[in-house]
Amino acid sequence: MGCAISGLAAKSEFAERNTDDAAAHPSEEQIQMIKDSWKVIRDDIAKVGIIMFVRLFETHPECKDVFFLFRDVEDLERLRTSRELRAHGLRVMSFIEKSVARLDQLERLEALALELGKSHYHYNAPPKYYSYVGAEFICAVQPILKEQWTAELEDAWKTMFQYVTSLMKQGYQEESARQRHLAVSPKERPDKRNTAL
């Protein structure tokens, strides 16, 4: 496909930059660039969501295993017309929209991303896939933004996705630890003391 970031080197660089536990928050200038570009992207929200996931399944077919409904679908044209994929794409785009709106409200953005990471633990969607979505989003919006797309804007979106996915990974890990703790029997829990007399 025509996206520069869809090359393996660019995607692995995107994923590697995303592995830091404390990813940087976008700068004020980047936030403004993201918000301005979102005004254009928003008009094609359903299209971007579908393109993003079809590309994700093309470039990383192993990701389909996380999605029960799409696991066995080999025909990409069926995916493009799938109501379920459209609905999921819209949910992801809604999360991106909320993230953009909260870029200057860090506590709210952090809470949103942490909760999404925790819920992804229950969906059995491991953190290794999160950065792929950001890379495919960037590829999907480039043609929509046309000449407005710049290297600086790409960096701004990458920074936002790296920040949000680092929070999602943290939420996933917190929920994983919480579930492991709950699975330990009460007798084995170090913080539970028998106070019965």
Side-chain angles (χ1 to χ4, degrees):
M1 299 231 138
C3 179
I5 202 170
S6 67
L8 292 177
K11 274 201 181 158
S12 80
E13 175 262 336
F14 185 91
E16 284 170 15
R17 283 178 54 191
N18 195 27
T19 58
D20 296 335
D21 288 343
H25 180 269
S27 69
E28 290 301 318
E29 182 181 350
Q30 288 178 319
I31 290 171
Q32 193 55 54
M33 291 169 59
I34 290 167
K35 288 185 176 206
D36 290 345
S37 65
W38 181 257
K39 292 173 188 170
V40 177
I41 296 166
R42 182 175 50 203
D43 294 338
D44 287 312
I45 201 168
K47 179 180 165 185
V48 171
I50 290 170
I51 291 169
M52 183 173 58
F53 276 96
V54 169
R55 287 184 55 89
L56 177 68
F57 296 153
E58 280 179 325
T59 58
H60 298 283
E62 71 277 11
C63 292
K64 284 196 308 185
D65 292 340
V66 174
F67 297 90
F68 178 74
L69 292 171
F70 314 125
R71 188 173 296 156
D72 298 323
V73 178
E74 295 299 326
D75 180 13
L76 293 177
E77 198 51 48
R78 263 187 59 208
L79 279 176
R80 282 183 183 87
T81 58
S82 165
R83 286 200 316 244
E84 292 86 2
L85 184 65
R86 184 178 198 279
H88 186 72
L90 283 170
R91 282 192 299 275
V92 172
M93 294 302 291
S94 174
F95 171 78
I96 294 170
E97 183 170 42
K98 289 175 187 173
S99 296
V100 169
R102 291 176 171 96
L103 278 171
D104 43 15
Q105 304 165 27
L106 279 184
E107 287 181 17
R108 292 184 69 207
L109 176 56
E110 288 173 5
L112 178 73
L114 285 169
E115 281 307 308
L116 188 62
K118 290 175 183 179
S119 65
H120 274 65
Y121 172 84
H122 295 285
Y123 301 144
N124 230 2
K128 66 182 180 180
Y129 299 133
Y130 302 168
S131 61
Y132 300 161
V133 174
E136 296 307 340
F137 171 85
I138 287 171
C139 290
V141 300
Q142 284 179 357
I144 292 167
L145 292 169
K146 298 177 182 136
E147 66 279 346
Q148 293 174 347
W149 190 260
T150 64
E152 293 79 17
L153 181 57
E154 182 170 327
D155 265 354
W157 277 105
K158 282 181 181 179
T159 300
M160 188 197 91
F161 274 103
Q162 290 161 356
Y163 180 69
V164 169
T165 57
S166 71
L167 292 167
M168 286 179 63
K169 288 177 182 181
Q170 181 184 337
Y172 182 97
Q173 291 162 349
E174 286 174 9
E175 186 61 16
S176 175
R178 189 178 84 80
Q179 292 299 322
R180 281 193 309 273
H181 180 75
L182 291 174
V184 175
S185 73
K187 288 181 182 177
E188 296 171 4
R189 288 187 196 158
D191 61 336
K192 297 286 182 185
R193 293 187 176 85
N194 189 349
T195 56
L197 295 176

